[in-house]
Amino acid sequence: MDEERPARQRERSNFVPAGRALLCVLLISTTLVVLALQTASGVTHLGGSSYHTEFAEPTWWLAGFLLFVPVYLASRRYPKLAVVAVIAAVGPQFALPAVVVDRYVEGGWGDGLEGFGYVLPILMTPVFAVAAAAGAAIGWREQRAHEA
């Protein structure tokens, strides 16, 4: 019974740092989404009846793929929360195309193809899942070696 108590206390003491790590992943992802939305050029008249529409800056949106690094690090440090790290990273990335589709439809620019905006977060999901799995596997191994 005494051996179980320190293990439980260790889990509780890891709760706050684990929450901070996951919050950092969520904030980084949300920041990239906000930057992509705020730096987009919107609707630009090119002359005549030609327009260029951009409701999300592609550079910032594609930078979301780099979130595999914080997902890996959070999963390595806190292997039990690897799935939560993936959700924290990919959640805001799915919100971005929802906002973009809404802007296209409200502006009258929607032609049905804007739904392809969901392709990027769909592609990000397995990238983050592999990073989380690799980080969690290494983290479990390190924890077992440390406990032994």
Side-chain angles (χ1 to χ4, degrees), residues 31-125:
T31 300
L32 289 174
V33 167
V34 169
L35 283 170
L37 291 171
Q38 293 299 317
T39 59
S41 62
V43 178
T44 308
H45 185 258
L46 299 176
S49 62
S50 298
Y51 292 88
H52 172 73
T53 57
E54 177 183 86
F55 294 116
E57 173 64 40
T59 304
W60 289 113
W61 197 357
L62 290 172
F65 277 101
L66 297 176
L67 286 168
F68 79 91
V69 175
V71 167
Y72 168 81
L73 293 174
S75 298
R76 183 173 175 176
R77 181 70 175 101
Y78 307 103
K80 291 181 181 179
L81 299 174
V83 173
V84 179
V86 172
I87 293 169
V90 83
Q93 299 301 320
F94 272 100
L96 178 59
V99 172
V100 169
V101 167
D102 186 54
R103 287 182 179 180
Y104 270 105
V105 172
E106 281 187 17
W109 298 99
D111 59 0
L113 295 177
E114 62 274 0
F116 282 110
Y118 287 99
V119 169
L120 284 178
I122 288 170
L123 292 175
M124 288 178 188
T125 303

